Amino acid sequence: MGDRLSLPKAVALLTALALGGCGAGVLTPAKTVLSGTFNEEEREEVDPDLLRPAVTCPPVRIQAGTEALRREGEAGNGDTLRWQASILKTARACTKGADGTAIRVGISGRVIEGPRGAPSSVTLPVRVAVRENSAITYSRLHNVAVSRDSASQDWAFVDEAIVVDNPAAAEIVVGFDG
């Protein structure tokens, strides 16, 4: 059989490879761990900013039943569908501020033209709400204008006005309103 790594050396190698680009200067070089020649004097100083805890960011979910919006013509059956919009993705970014945790919530999706044809622009009623514990602490309706230049058009919106006191007890809920 060929050379085999011991379990501790294999774990050290995998850890070094997985974290290779993270926190440069914090990890002991892999060759010293694998060779067993680690010396306390070789340890580099750790940047204190790297040791600060990450900002807690509440989860985002799409409210069940509000992920799609349809606009139909007169009769209301499938043949009169003008357009349909859907929410496909969400994202969020959090930063700690003096007044609490500031949150940017991104929402994106697609508008698809129906058999009856859609206007060249549509307005999507997108609601963003925050529930902290059992209370709604933020709720805004945004009218997102989407200009269409094809039968299927992507759209995106970012709400940058959210601030929460306790992000660990918060949940962000998005969806179409109407």
Side-chain angles (χ1 to χ4, degrees):
M1 272 195 243
D3 292 344
R4 298 183 80 171
L5 290 175
S6 68
L7 183 58
K9 285 186 178 181
V11 168
L13 175 62
L14 290 174
T15 302
L17 291 174
L19 299 175
C22 301
V26 174
L27 296 177
T28 301
K31 68 180 182 180
T32 61
V33 171
L34 294 176
S35 68
T37 61
F38 175 72
N39 183 342
E40 198 61 37
E41 294 171 5
E42 293 177 9
R43 181 175 292 176
E44 297 179 29
E45 286 298 313
V46 175
D47 182 355
D49 288 337
L50 294 174
L51 299 177
R52 290 195 178 120
V55 176
T56 300
C57 209
V60 178
R61 71 174 174 86
I62 302 169
Q63 178 70 35
T66 68
E67 60 278 330
L69 180 66
R70 298 171 54 99
R71 290 294 185 248
E72 299 195 29
E74 314 83 43
N77 62 30
D79 291 341
T80 63
L81 180 65
R82 304 272 332 260
W83 55 270
Q84 178 172 313
S86 57
I87 296 175
L88 302 174
K89 294 182 183 179
T90 63
R92 86 269 195 240
C94 299
T95 55
K96 188 74 174 153
D99 297 332
T101 300
I103 306 169
R104 297 179 66 212
V105 175
I107 306 162
S108 65
R110 181 174 292 276
V111 175
I112 300 172
E113 183 176 336
R116 280 282 185 191
S120 61
S121 67
V122 298
T123 301
L124 306 176
V126 177
R127 177 150 322 260
V128 178
V130 176
R131 179 180 297 125
E132 290 184 74
N133 295 314
S134 60
I136 302 295
T137 58
Y138 177 90
S139 180
R140 296 288 187 280
L141 178 62
H142 304 279
N143 291 312
V144 180
V146 179
S147 296
R148 293 182 336 92
D149 56 9
S150 65
S152 177
Q153 183 68 47
D154 291 332
W155 63 272
F157 170 75
V158 177
D159 185 335
E160 300 184 20
I162 303 169
V163 177
V164 298
D165 292 327
N166 185 0
E171 175 186 40
I172 302 164
V173 181
V174 302
F176 289 122
D177 197 39

